[in-house]
Amino acid sequence: MESILLLLQGIFLQDDGGFLGFLGGDRGALGSDDPVIAGLIAAAFAVSGFGILLNLLNSAIRKKMIDQVKWRRIMKETRAFNKERMAAFRSKDQERINQLNKKSAYMNKLSMEMMQMNLRPMMITFIPLILIFYFVLPYLFSYTVAISPVSLNVIPGDFFQLTCTAEQAADPDHVCEAENAIFLWAWYFLSSIAFSGIIMKITKTTMELN
């Protein structure tokens, strides 16, 4: 679920402004021509700091709203059920399959409850995080805040560009000043992914069973 949230953030925050592209102004991208925090090194660390702080906020809300003991109990029970059902199907034990099928409704209820537990903090944090990015960070930072040694545009097409292309860098009217420069939204997105798992482990809000 956490990875889905980060992916959605990435789609909404891409360089053309996503579905809120009008906030990019005349340049059609998120960032400032006269940023408060200038310089690649300072900007890169500052944006990463924002990513860490917002991840900490997300983890704090998650820890407050989700009963971790109950969540882990449900997760353990559903995983054990799925593992047992797969084993029954592989061994073609019809009697065991029939017994497990009787328990399916209960397990589906548990899965739905677990999903709702995860969605509640997401619904609270998702919109504020998006608004902070659109209304705060673009005034503090330039359009690009770091340089990658290689292109990070692994998805074909223009839908999900993380770094500037050579064509964009060659265009004097484009926000890209160098090839493989990393967009503001992309560096925030990558920083959030990089620190999300670490912060969740530190705050003991990880979705994994220990």
Side-chain angles (χ1 to χ4, degrees):
M1 295 297 292
E2 193 76 15
S3 59
I4 294 175
L5 173 61
L6 292 171
L7 177 60
L8 288 173
Q9 285 181 338
I11 292 173
F12 292 144
L13 301 178
Q14 52 191 312
D15 68 308
D16 63 356
F19 79 113
L20 292 177
F22 65 91
L23 293 175
D26 295 335
R27 304 300 297 273
L30 294 173
S32 173
D33 289 314
D34 186 23
V36 175
I37 301 177
L40 289 180
I41 295 178
F45 277 102
V47 173
S48 296
F50 267 96
I52 293 172
L53 288 175
L54 294 176
N55 265 303
L56 286 171
L57 174 63
N58 182 62
S59 292
I61 293 175
R62 177 179 171 81
K63 193 168 187 177
K64 184 73 174 178
M65 295 188 64
I66 296 180
D67 185 338
Q68 296 294 319
V69 175
K70 182 179 180 180
W71 189 91
R72 285 187 169 85
R73 177 183 61 79
I74 294 175
M75 174 65 82
K76 185 176 181 180
E77 193 170 349
T78 53
R79 284 189 177 181
F81 172 79
N82 290 332
K83 184 177 180 180
E84 188 176 0
R85 185 169 62 174
M86 286 298 298
F89 275 112
R90 287 172 181 169
S91 63
K92 297 181 180 180
D93 186 343
Q94 191 59 47
E95 182 179 354
R96 187 58 183 154
I97 292 173
N98 293 337
Q99 291 177 348
L100 291 171
N101 285 339
K102 295 177 182 179
K103 198 178 179 182
S104 292
Y106 169 71
M107 299 309 300
N108 289 337
K109 181 181 178 181
L110 287 184
S111 296
M112 183 62 66
E113 184 177 357
M114 186 170 61
M115 185 179 298
Q116 290 173 348
M117 291 171 68
N118 281 318
L119 282 176
R120 280 195 294 268
M122 282 187 182
M123 295 303 292
I124 291 177
T125 59
F126 182 72
I127 293 178
L129 295 185
I130 293 293
L131 292 178
I132 288 173
F133 190 92
Y134 274 109
F135 291 104
V136 177
L137 268 64
Y139 297 98
L140 297 178
F141 304 102
S142 182
Y143 303 99
T144 58
V145 294
I147 299 288
S148 171
V150 296
S151 174
L152 301 179
N153 301 328
V154 294
I155 299 179
D158 300 331
F159 178 68
F160 200 71
Q161 284 191 341
L162 299 173
T163 52
C164 296
T165 64
E167 292 77 10
Q168 290 170 334
D171 184 354
D173 296 325
H174 201 277
V175 298
C176 291
E177 297 180 355
E179 184 179 1
N180 295 333
I182 304 176
F183 293 111
L184 167 61
W185 77 268
W187 187 250
Y188 166 80
F189 174 63
L190 294 173
S191 298
S192 295
I193 290 178
F195 291 104
S196 176
I198 297 173
I199 291 173
M200 289 178 72
K201 284 186 178 295
I202 293 175
T203 57
K204 297 181 179 180
T205 55
T206 179
M207 296 182 183
E208 298 177 357
L209 288 174
N210 298 323

